[in-house]
């Protein structure tokens, strides 16, 4: 809820950098309308954010697979987790562990299984209760400790399942000293049905405690199976019993797994390392906006009015959505025919996908119809554009039919109908501070430079026109540029730079005065 409200409010007020962190999906275990609705909310949050973070690589893959966020918009800082682990706080400590065991009357010789987290069905606590009840009959030295708030009132149900071994079942509610319980445990168990990462696993690992957990996204990043812990299928009580039985019966294996777990936790998930990675992300984002927005507003107060007026704030995006939707519908026959032409002449894939800088320089994947073949030299480097551009490709470029798929980018919010053309990611470090202001607006399918010479212009001329658009954009100007674009497409002018099959690379050797 907080993420939804924050991202929506930031999007409405046009905060330039909007970062949301995904830490698990409540809808992952739902079915029916509630799953659809909750998943749609996550999609809305991801759409409103300019960048999203996931707290594990497998969660990132899950979100992409489920269509919640685009790959170009979703990153994992470091190796994952929300906050890393403090190796000084979570560490093996016989003194701390013994004091904690004494509170519950647990002998040092008994094997203690620890669950730490919310007592919730999605955490698999009922599965753990059934597994413990089955194993307790085999091993009279086995204990189970559940630490965490009872969110769903499950304690009575758990006690009912463990009725025959109730004296060896212990509960501790919310705690501010989880490290004490970790130091007391022999095995951590997290048979969860959904997790973003499972921070409790690396905290236990730092304390030298191996884990038994379910093989689900998020958790598989916290455990190296067979090396720092054991995994079972979610909901598989028999599999859970087998894993717990194996560790309970083998103190040597517990020691080996626990030692490897601590080494990995301190190496891959240290709090300092993760904090540094997250700060690096924010630093890169701020580098792209901090120096540009204030300078523009202070130097040109009339520009601020235009940028925050009805069209700059809301109208332009609404215009893009309507225009792109109509274009996709009206051009559907042309789109299908072009796709067939590309498939027959160039083969697969039909679409060319390439990462380009979007609003504030953040990357997105731009779509076009493919116009070149894949040809490389003896060293494996792509041949010049002129050697790879086919007759069909030249026709697609001269008629601008290769640009049609970009309407989908407009509909998604990656691009606008009108704006500076998206160039290459490798150009970003080459821009002057003034040239970089072209990224204050969404890149466009067409723009002021495209109707004033297109690729026939020098880089300096193109940047000057781009900045002129940024400083003077309006509804009337967008309509005029779109009308002139139609004329330019018909005339087929400026398709390529003089003497080039396409356009020369930008070398960062020009200066723009805005």
């Amino acid at each position: 809820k907080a993420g939804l409200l924050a991202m929506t409010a930031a999007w409405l007020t046009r905060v330039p950098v909007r970062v949301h962190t995904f830490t698990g999906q409540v809808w992952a275990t739902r079915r029916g309308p509630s799953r659809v609705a909750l998943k749609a909310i996550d999609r809305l949050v991801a759409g409103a954010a300019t960048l999203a973070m996931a707290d594990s690589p497998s969660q990132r893959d899950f979100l992409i697979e489920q269509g919640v966020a685009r790959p170009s918009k979703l990153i994992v800082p470091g190796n994952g987790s929300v906050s890393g682990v403090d190796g000084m706080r979570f560490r093996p400590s016989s003194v701390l562990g013994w004091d904690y065991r004494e509170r519950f009357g647990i002998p040092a010789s008994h094997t203690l299984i620890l669950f730490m987290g919310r007592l919730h069905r999605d955490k698999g606590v009922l599965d753990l209760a059934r597994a413990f009840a089955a194993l307790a009959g085999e091993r009279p030295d086995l204990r189970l400790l559940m630490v965490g708030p009872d969110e769903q009132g499950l304690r009575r149900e758990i006690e009912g399942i463990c009725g025959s071994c109730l004296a060896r079942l212990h509960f501790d509610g919310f705690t501010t000293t989880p490290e004490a319980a970790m130091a007391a445990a022999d095995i951590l168990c997290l048979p969860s049905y959904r997790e973003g990462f499972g921070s409790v696993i690396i905290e236990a690992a730092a304390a030298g405690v191996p884990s038994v957990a379910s093989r689900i996204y998020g958790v598989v990043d916290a455990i190296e199976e067979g090396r720092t812990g054991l995994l079972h299928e979610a909901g598989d009580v028999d599999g859970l019993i087998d894993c717990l039985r194996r560790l309970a019966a083998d103190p040597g294996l517990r020691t080996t797994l626990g030692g490897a777990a601590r080494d990995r936790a301190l190496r891959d998930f240290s709090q300092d390392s993760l904090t540094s990675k997250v700060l690096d992300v924010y630093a890169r984002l701020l580098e792209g906006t901090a120096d540009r927005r204030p300078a523009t507003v202070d130097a040109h107060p009339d520009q601020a009015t235009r940028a925050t007026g009805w069209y700059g704030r809301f109208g332009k995006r609404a215009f893009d959505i309507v225009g792109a939707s109509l274009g996709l519908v009206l051009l559907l026959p042309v789109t299908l025919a072009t796709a067939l032409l590309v498939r027959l002449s160039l083969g697969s894939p039909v679409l060319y996908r390439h990462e380009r800088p979007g609003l504030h320089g953040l990357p997105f994947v731009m779509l076009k119809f493919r116009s070149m073949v894949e040809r490389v030299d003896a060293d494996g480097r792509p041949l010049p554009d002129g050697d790879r551009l086919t007759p069909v490709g030249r026709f697609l470029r001269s008629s601008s039919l290769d640009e049609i798929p970009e309407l989908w980018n407009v509909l998604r919010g990656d691009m606008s109908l009108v704006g500076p053309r998206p160039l290459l990611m490798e150009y970003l470090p080459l821009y002057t501070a003034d040239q970089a202001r072209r990224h204050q607006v969404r890149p466009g399918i067409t723009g002021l430079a495209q109707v004033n010479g297109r690729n026939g212009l020098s880089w300096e001329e193109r940047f000057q026109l781009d900045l002129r658009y940024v400083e003077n954009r309006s509804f009337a100007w967008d309509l005029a540029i779109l009308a002139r674009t139609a004329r330019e497409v018909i005339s087929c002018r400026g398709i390529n730079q003089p003497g080039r099959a396409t356009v020369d690379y930008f070398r960062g050797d020009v200066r723009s005065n805005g």
Side-chain angles (χ1 to χ4, degrees):
K1 289 174 290 204
L4 174 64
L5 291 173
M7 288 300 105
T8 303
W11 182 83
L12 289 172
T13 54
R14 308 316 296 162
V15 175
V17 179
R18 306 180 296 277
V19 183
H20 176 76
T21 301
F22 286 105
T23 58
Q25 287 66 56
V26 67
W27 47 267
T29 56
R30 302 289 182 89
R31 297 291 183 269
S34 64
R35 177 184 174 92
V36 173
L38 292 168
K39 187 175 178 180
I41 289 174
D42 267 358
R43 282 176 173 160
L44 180 62
V45 171
T50 55
L51 180 71
M53 296 188 195
D55 59 3
S56 69
S58 57
Q59 183 189 191
R60 179 182 185 272
D61 294 342
F62 176 76
L63 290 169
I64 293 170
E65 177 189 333
Q66 294 292 316
V68 172
R70 302 192 303 276
S72 60
K73 204 176 189 179
L74 190 57
I75 66 169
V76 179
N79 294 303
S81 91
V82 177
S83 57
V85 63
D86 182 349
M88 294 299 294
R89 180 182 182 187
F90 294 93
R91 68 188 192 280
S93 173
S94 56
V95 174
L96 197 61
W98 174 243
D99 288 344
Y100 194 85
R101 281 182 176 240
E102 276 196 325
R103 284 179 51 195
F104 300 94
I106 303 173
S109 60
H110 281 205
T111 301
L112 178 59
I113 300 170
L114 171 66
F115 169 86
M116 184 172 288
R118 299 173 294 118
L119 267 61
H120 193 287
R121 294 178 189 276
D122 282 358
K123 293 287 186 179
V125 293
L126 298 182
D127 292 343
L128 177 55
R130 295 184 183 99
F132 176 68
L135 287 172
E138 302 176 10
R139 299 190 62 89
D141 63 338
L142 201 61
R143 301 274 185 144
L144 174 61
L145 172 64
M146 291 191 162
V147 180
D150 188 0
E151 285 194 353
Q152 293 187 317
L154 296 176
R155 178 165 177 167
R156 281 192 178 182
E157 191 171 352
I158 293 170
E159 289 175 336
I161 294 171
C162 300
S164 62
C165 51
L166 203 55
R168 288 182 279 151
L169 172 66
H170 311 278
F171 291 91
D172 196 4
F174 175 81
T175 180
T176 58
T177 56
E179 63 273 16
M182 302 287 190
D186 295 296
I187 305 167
L188 177 87
C189 189
L190 184 64
S192 185
Y193 287 78
R194 59 177 179 88
E195 292 289 335
F197 177 75
S199 296
V200 68
I201 293 173
I202 60 170
E203 290 170 351
V209 179
S211 295
V212 170
S214 47
R215 189 181 287 106
I216 58 173
Y217 78 87
V219 170
V220 295
D221 297 297
I223 293 178
E224 286 188 356
E225 187 169 10
R227 186 170 180 275
T228 66
L230 303 178
L231 296 173
H232 63 89
E233 298 303 321
D236 180 7
V237 177
D238 289 338
L240 174 57
I241 290 172
D242 289 341
C243 290
L244 290 174
R245 179 187 288 122
R246 183 180 171 191
L247 285 186
D250 193 340
L253 178 60
R254 295 200 301 267
T255 300
T256 301
L257 295 180
R262 176 166 170 79
D263 290 343
R264 181 171 184 252
L266 299 183
R267 183 187 69 243
D268 294 347
F269 301 106
S270 74
Q271 202 168 72
D272 290 344
S273 175
L274 180 68
T275 301
S276 176
K277 297 292 186 184
V278 173
L279 288 175
D280 285 346
V281 171
Y282 280 102
R284 289 197 300 271
L285 293 174
L286 291 173
E287 283 174 4
T289 59
D291 295 334
R292 287 176 289 195
R293 283 183 82 246
T296 303
V297 173
D298 292 344
H300 308 283
D302 59 320
Q303 295 170 23
T305 303
R306 280 192 289 270
T308 56
W310 75 270
Y311 187 65
R313 290 169 63 86
F314 308 108
K316 185 172 177 62
R317 181 64 188 137
F319 181 58
D320 284 340
I321 292 172
V322 172
S325 299
L326 287 174
L328 287 169
V329 172
L330 296 176
L331 294 174
L332 182 59
V334 177
T335 303
L336 295 176
T338 305
L340 180 61
L341 177 63
V342 173
R343 182 68 177 83
L344 293 176
S345 61
L346 298 176
S348 183
V350 171
L351 292 178
Y352 170 73
R353 294 174 170 85
H354 199 261
E355 193 172 70
R356 299 292 176 93
L359 184 64
H360 306 302
L362 295 174
F364 73 97
V365 177
M366 187 179 76
L367 303 176
K368 297 179 70 172
F369 279 124
R370 194 157 68 97
S371 58
M372 294 186 185
V373 293
E374 299 294 335
R375 290 177 183 165
V376 297
D377 60 20
D379 296 324
R381 292 172 299 193
L383 292 175
D385 290 348
D387 295 329
R388 296 187 295 126
L389 194 61
T390 67
V392 169
R394 294 180 192 278
F395 165 71
L396 294 179
R397 285 174 175 254
S398 65
S399 62
S400 295
L401 291 175
D402 62 324
E403 311 278 359
I404 292 177
E406 291 172 35
L407 290 170
W408 180 247
N409 286 121
V410 175
L411 201 58
R412 289 167 63 102
D414 299 324
M415 296 178 65
S416 178
L417 292 174
V418 181
R421 283 292 295 170
L423 302 176
L424 301 179
M425 293 295 297
E426 52 261 43
Y427 291 173
L428 290 179
L430 304 178
Y431 295 141
T432 65
D434 201 38
Q435 291 163 357
R437 289 194 296 116
R438 68 194 306 278
H439 294 296
Q440 287 181 343
V441 298
R442 285 185 178 87
I445 294 180
T446 185
L448 193 59
Q450 280 60 53
V451 297
N452 282 279
R454 208 170 175 180
N455 287 334
L457 299 172
S458 68
W459 281 112
E460 184 175 7
E461 291 170 327
R462 293 176 69 177
F463 287 143
Q464 287 177 348
L465 289 168
D466 287 343
L467 295 181
R468 185 180 172 194
Y469 175 80
V470 169
E471 295 166 1
N472 297 279
R473 59 193 185 276
S474 68
F475 179 55
W477 213 1
D478 279 2
L479 287 178
I481 290 172
L482 287 171
R484 289 181 61 184
T485 297
R487 186 178 66 189
E488 292 296 319
V489 169
I490 294 172
S491 69
C492 298
R493 289 180 296 187
I495 303 301
N496 56 280
Q497 206 169 45
R500 298 278 298 179
T502 52
V503 65
D504 202 358
Y505 281 96
F506 174 57
R507 308 292 180 183
D509 53 357
V510 301
R511 294 280 167 175
S512 173
N513 297 317

